[in-house]
Amino acid sequence: MILPIRQRGDPILRLKAKRFLHLSDYPIRELAVNMLETMHAANGIGLAAPQVGESLQVIVVDISQCEDSTSLLTMDGEDCYPQKVMPLVLINPQITKVGGQVTRAEGCLSCPGIVGDIERFEFVTVLAETLDYPQVNLEAHGLLARVLQHEMDHLNGILFMDRIVKHPSSPNWLSVALNE
Ligand code: ZN
């Protein structure tokens, strides 16, 4: 089911999302399937649960259509071809290690029409649950690392616009004028 995507200004986007507890009978698979369907319908590459009105620590990512952007991924220490393991559904993700810095243009399904240059870590190590495993350890580089950071920001009530590099030499600096 395609869900409405909450837009900037909606207070749910500013809340800290709750950890998902398996003790609850919340239909997590249904939420994940709906989030994937919603993300794909909007041509997005990542979506966080608060964007569809659920203040829970769940994110989905699918960069399989981004063949032109470099991403590297290891899962539990094994090298993976990122395109092959997509889409990812990550529950209660936590960043455990970061490194490098890269500035690149970004947008967000909750902030249509706004693009800005954002500085992010070049790689992140993320500990998370998935629908099938109680714990996976991901190390992501490149675009995938950027998407993970963007989506995990949503779980902390942070929008990408908060991080736009506010410098006139930035080619996308103009979009800052549209900031809240
Ligand atoms: Zn976003």
Side-chain angles (χ1 to χ4, degrees):
M1 188 171 60
I2 296 172
L3 305 169
I5 297 177
R6 302 297 182 96
Q7 300 296 299
R8 77 191 175 107
D10 189 316
I12 199 165
L13 295 175
R14 292 304 190 179
L15 296 178
K16 229 170 140 51
K18 288 192 274 305
R19 273 183 75 77
F20 175 77
L21 297 173
H22 288 277
L23 294 175
S24 80
D25 55 1
Y26 192 89
I28 185 75
R29 275 177 199 274
E30 191 186 323
L31 174 64
V33 166
N34 289 342
M35 285 174 65
L36 286 167
E37 212 176 309
T38 304
M39 175 182 74
H40 286 140
N43 293 317
I45 55 175
L47 193 70
Q51 291 179 279
V52 293
E54 296 293 345
S55 192
L56 284 172
Q57 292 191 23
V58 181
I59 64 172
V60 296
V61 174
D62 189 351
I63 55 150
S64 59
Q65 301 307 310
C66 305
E67 299 276 353
D68 54 331
S69 297
T70 319
S71 295
L72 293 172
L73 174 65
T74 65
M75 279 177 92
D76 292 330
E78 301 256 328
D79 287 341
C80 292
Y81 185 58
Q83 263 75 7
K84 292 238 164 90
V85 295
M86 296 294 140
L88 287 175
V89 176
L90 301 180
I91 303 160
N92 302 329
Q94 283 175 22
I95 291 179
T96 52
K97 217 162 86 182
V98 296
Q101 286 201 316
V102 184
T103 300
R104 209 181 132 166
E106 254 178 56
C108 175
L109 294 177
S110 293
C111 315
I114 302 176
V115 174
D117 283 339
I118 311 289
E119 188 175 80
R120 300 272 188 199
F121 296 113
E122 196 284 324
F123 85 86
V124 289
T125 302
V126 173
L127 193 65
E129 298 166 43
T130 68
L131 293 173
D132 303 307
Y133 300 100
Q135 197 178 74
V136 289
N137 199 27
L138 308 172
E139 184 175 318
H141 292 254
L143 177 66
L144 182 56
R146 175 168 296 271
V147 180
L148 288 170
Q149 289 168 81
H150 178 116
E151 301 314 326
M152 291 172 67
D153 266 355
H154 276 300
L155 303 182
N156 287 306
I158 299 167
L159 292 179
F160 88 112
M161 304 179 311
D162 306 345
R163 297 192 188 275
I164 289 178
V165 178
K166 292 184 171 83
H167 194 283
S169 69
S170 160
N172 296 306
W173 181 77
L174 186 64
S175 56
V176 174
L178 299 169
N179 212 336
E180 285 171 317

